[in-house]
Amino acid sequence: MKVTNVERIIVDVPFTPRQQEITRQSVYNWSILELCKVTTDTGHVGWGETVIHYTYGRVTDDAVARTIGQSPAELMNEDSLGAGLQMALFDVVGKILEVSVHRLLGTKVRDWTPISWWCSHSSPENWAAEAAEAVAQGYTNLKNKPRPWNDIVAQVDAICKVVPPHFHLDLDPNGSWENAANAIPIIKKLERYENVAMFETPIPQDDILGNRQIRQAVNRPVAMHFGSPPFLTAVREEVCDGFVIGGGKSMTMRQGQCAAEVSMPFWLQIVGNGLTTTWDAHLGSVLTHARWPAISCINMYSHHLLTQPVQVINGHQRVPDGPGLGVEVDEVAVEKYRVPQEELDEHALYIHPKPRLISTIVYPDGTCIHMEHPSAPGTYVEGVRTEILEDDGSQEWQDLYERVQKEKQVVSRWEG
């Protein structure tokens, strides 16, 4: 069997309406995917998917050239090929051999894998609405992004009022709580809520003493991205209870097996739409300690690009047993969302223009910090909120926007 063709298709799959609002200051370009369609001389076709503005590895022209004329089985374990191409090779090899991808990865230990809803930083109202939608869609877990420019306690409180007791929140400050002295009081306030299940990277991961202090002081698990600090250091210094793992197939399997050796759980964080979420399920089905809900962010997309959308039941998705990935790509939807060739740049890529917005962080005393994109200006204060100022066409808005671009941060008093 030889690869005879690799077609790369750029699609732009709209996010759901609320996610369009939430992500317009952060990950709005994650809607742009590159699909890889691999054809072999046996007549089989495999599909893969890359979030080109986020992935651990894009598919390059060189990777495609290396693949043409070669056996897909010889190359499929090479992470350097990029996310979508590697996935497509596994899909086509499974179809040729008439076995499921999880059989190519190892021994299946679970038929259903846990999966989480995902949401970026936003208002308490948006978080609560996303959580309610997650419950309605069969999820039992939400991972979200608390930030010092929003009232974290108010956000969590809003969610807990609309979800059942068994619904869990995994909170990921991405290190923005700065240090243990700042983080521990925040965590203690959030621990009062039964729904709060876990904290990921509350402070920078290279602060070994601070992370160890946090883990000793709190009664919720702490997760950290695998590899920072080095794995053996993380285990020896007891800085976390488990890991966030992702990347190419070979890296993911190696990290997952390392975690298993020390009996530490983890979640898979490999972001994408329907194909990627299915790929996550195959990986999670053979990795013994992939016990925490995986993060694929599929809930953001308005269409899964599959003829049968991924279904979540009681917080889990079923691992397909059909040949390859075990799902069928909806080629009608692919054509609907395909980006026309003339809209691609010289690198055959596509990107949304940056929205013209001003983020205004409003503190309880009326102090405001205006900036183009929200960022942590200092220690978290209860009652803080962020207002998004749209371009209303006024000279006043334009003047402030130009100042923000030049000065990065503009301080004023709230007049809203």
Side-chain angles (χ1 to χ4, degrees):
M1 53 181 173
K2 304 291 184 184
V3 174
T4 58
N5 188 52
V6 177
E7 182 182 2
R8 297 154 72 187
I9 304 167
I10 303 293
V11 295
D12 187 3
V13 183
F15 289 163
T16 63
R18 190 183 305 111
Q19 283 290 340
Q20 289 182 39
E21 177 188 346
I22 292 171
T23 62
R24 58 186 174 165
Q25 290 186 298
S26 52
V27 298
Y28 51 89
N29 275 310
W30 287 10
S31 67
I32 303 168
L33 311 170
E34 181 182 74
L35 304 180
C36 282
K37 181 180 180 182
V38 170
T39 304
T40 65
D41 57 4
T42 61
H44 293 86
V45 174
W47 288 87
E49 175 184 271
T50 304
V51 182
I52 54 177
H53 298 295
Y54 175 74
T55 184
Y56 73 90
R58 290 177 176 173
V59 178
T60 65
D61 293 342
D62 287 343
V64 171
R66 284 173 52 207
T67 304
I68 299 296
Q70 302 300 312
S71 165
E74 287 287 338
L75 296 175
M76 65 185 186
N77 290 301
E78 295 188 18
D79 293 353
S80 61
L81 294 177
L85 183 52
Q86 183 178 56
M87 195 186 309
L89 293 181
F90 268 90
D91 187 33
V92 79
V93 169
K95 289 173 178 175
I96 293 170
L97 298 180
E98 298 184 346
V99 299
S100 186
V101 160
H102 63 74
R103 295 289 300 275
L104 302 176
L105 296 171
T107 301
K108 188 168 68 167
V109 296
R110 57 182 66 87
D111 295 324
W112 294 76
T113 58
I115 182 172
S116 182
W117 196 273
W118 185 89
C119 189
S120 189
H121 55 84
S122 192
S123 66
E125 295 77 15
N126 277 337
W127 271 20
E130 284 290 302
E133 180 66 19
V135 172
Q137 294 293 330
Y139 288 78
T140 58
N141 201 90
L142 167 63
K143 178 189 171 185
N144 44 20
K145 301 281 190 176
R147 293 292 186 267
W149 53 84
N150 282 311
D151 190 325
I152 301 162
V153 174
Q155 289 172 313
V156 170
D157 187 74
I159 290 177
C160 293
K161 289 176 178 176
V162 301
V163 299
H166 66 268
F167 189 87
H168 288 165
L169 304 180
D170 296 336
L171 304 178
D172 177 17
N174 282 114
S176 63
W177 292 347
E178 298 182 322
N179 54 57
N182 285 340
I184 291 174
I186 300 172
I187 294 173
K188 287 299 182 184
K189 290 178 181 179
L190 297 174
E191 283 180 342
R192 301 169 190 166
Y193 295 93
E194 293 293 330
N195 299 95
V196 173
M198 195 181 322
F199 296 92
E200 177 195 341
T201 315
I203 64 175
Q205 293 193 179
D206 59 1
D207 184 350
I208 294 174
L209 293 178
N211 279 292
R212 186 168 59 190
Q213 184 180 357
I214 288 172
R215 184 164 180 258
Q216 293 170 347
V218 306
N219 62 10
R220 297 290 196 278
V222 175
M224 295 175 67
H225 283 266
F226 189 102
S228 174
F231 172 65
L232 292 179
T233 301
V235 174
R236 183 182 64 245
E237 300 296 333
E238 299 182 334
V239 295
C240 63
D241 297 274
F243 298 102
V244 182
I245 286 176
K249 174 266 174 182
S250 296
M251 176 184 289
T252 297
M253 294 296 292
R254 179 182 63 81
Q255 292 180 354
Q257 289 158 358
C258 286
E261 286 297 314
V262 291
S263 298
M264 293 178 72
F266 58 89
W267 70 62
L268 293 170
Q269 187 159 295
I270 306 173
V271 171
N273 202 352
L275 287 168
T276 299
T277 302
T278 304
W279 171 246
D280 288 354
H282 285 285
L283 287 164
S285 74
V286 302
L287 288 165
T288 59
H289 283 63
R291 296 170 179 166
W292 290 344
I295 310 297
S296 75
C297 303
I298 191 174
N299 60 280
M300 296 196 299
Y301 296 93
S302 60
H303 197 292
H304 293 178
L305 300 183
L306 304 176
T307 56
Q308 296 295 323
V310 172
Q311 289 189 322
V312 176
I313 300 175
N314 195 27
H316 292 71
Q317 66 175 123
R318 189 171 186 85
V319 183
D321 278 321
L325 289 172
V327 294
E328 182 181 354
V329 171
D330 186 339
E331 297 193 52
V332 173
V334 170
E335 290 306 313
K336 176 181 178 180
Y337 298 117
R338 183 195 285 260
V339 177
Q341 185 66 34
E342 59 269 21
E343 295 185 22
L344 303 179
D345 64 19
E346 66 272 18
H347 304 294
L349 296 177
Y350 180 72
I351 191 168
H352 290 293
K354 183 170 62 177
R356 283 170 52 87
L357 300 168
I358 299 172
S359 295
T360 298
I361 303 173
V362 185
Y363 288 91
D365 66 358
T367 300
C368 296
I369 300 179
H370 308 277
M371 57 190 71
E372 187 172 9
H373 297 289
S375 58
T379 304
Y380 162 71
V381 177
E382 275 195 52
V384 66
R385 71 181 192 277
T386 298
E387 301 283 345
I388 305 300
L389 304 183
E390 309 268 359
D391 185 354
D392 58 7
S394 68
Q395 188 60 48
E396 180 182 12
W397 187 94
Q398 182 62 32
D399 290 344
L400 180 58
Y401 186 72
E402 291 176 0
R403 284 190 63 193
V404 164
Q405 295 240 308
K406 180 179 179 181
E407 301 173 28
K408 305 304 180 186
Q409 295 184 0
V410 177
V411 179
S412 71
R413 300 290 297 177
W414 178 248
E415 298 178 358

